[in-house]
Amino acid sequence: MTESTKRRAVPVKAWAAAGVCLALLGGLAAWFLVGRETAAPCNGLPQDKRLRQSVGAGLQPGMSCAAIGEVIVKATSGSEPGRHTQAQAQAMKDVLFAIGFGQPKELALDPALRSPLATALADYAPDLHAMLAGLDSQYVLKAGRDTPPWESGGTYHLSVYTNVLRETVRAVAQDPHAYALLRMTETRTAAQRLAAVPADATGHEFTVPPTTNARAFGILDGIANAVTHGQDKDQAHKWRRTVLDQLLNDPATPKTYQDDPAAYLTATWLKDLKNTLEKDRPDRLRTQGIDMARTWTQERNTEEQTRQSLLADVDGSQLSAYREIKP
């Protein structure tokens, strides 16, 4: 080979190598883009055989995600909130597993499914509360996918694994309106649990409801932090403001504690939140457990030392739960 031929061969080889690299890069880019475009629509819910069996013939391939959301709400909702048949509770359980089971952290949920799923979850307020807090042994033992809903108190209850619920709620909470709905649902449930404590309660009967409430609020606080963690300052501010505006627009009816303890606790908390400076409201939201417990103990005329001890436990419970959610 002549010297000139050798000099010509080098660029030919270089261009060939560059062509191979470009082809590989193009292939990777195509895989990445096509992979995104060909991912199962609506989080693959229409293709889930188990879900189609429990939800019914209304769930069909080719439906829009909004239509699927409507089907889910219809199949899981009871005749009244908190009252469900076994079939409805099973459908809700299958929906949660179909979305949240085996998914990577930061599950991406189709935006059109967020609000319907929040609506469906809110219909199961007592179960949602128990699963968020994660302290009820019955809910822990019956969380498996093959464990059916169980009957208690005239309705059927459901449970799923902790990571399934948390990842699903986190994905739903990308929509601030959906998050606010779940937060308000938990607020009313927490108030009802406090109102149900007998006037002469002592020991665990007195301390468990407020500390369990605080755990549920703490998990929701952690989820809110996780949602806004990756956002820029303006996006995060907008998300929080939307949540707070929706909470403060709730039509809670002020009543006396004697007339309706749960309604009073809810309305009082909302009033205190509204009276807080706007810039301080996000921080005030993270003290919800202790704020509601403080009002509750005041109305019960709880002895001061007992009250302060309880509030310290409540504060610790909410903070501990908050730290369990990693952004």
Side-chain angles (χ1 to χ4, degrees), residues 143-200:
R145 190 166 196 173
D146 294 325
T147 304
W150 68 97
E151 194 277 332
S152 176
T155 188
Y156 279 85
H157 300 274
L158 69 99
S159 180
V160 297
Y161 296 135
T162 297
N163 64 312
V164 170
L165 179 77
R166 291 182 180 181
E167 286 305 314
T168 302
V169 173
R170 179 172 175 162
V172 166
Q174 295 292 331
D175 180 342
H177 297 283
Y179 176 85
L181 173 60
L182 295 180
R183 186 84 189 206
M184 198 65 230
T185 297
E186 178 56 32
T187 297
R188 295 188 187 283
T189 303
Q192 290 163 5
R193 284 175 53 79
L194 293 177
V197 177
D200 59 352

Side-chain angles (χ1 to χ4, degrees), residues 14 27 48 84 88 97 125 157 161 194 206 210 289-290 300 303 307:
D48 191 294
H84 304 95
Q88 290 165 343
F97 267 106
H157 300 274
Y161 296 135
L194 293 177
F206 173 71
I290 195 170
R300 289 169 62 95
E303 192 270 331
R307 188 166 74 93

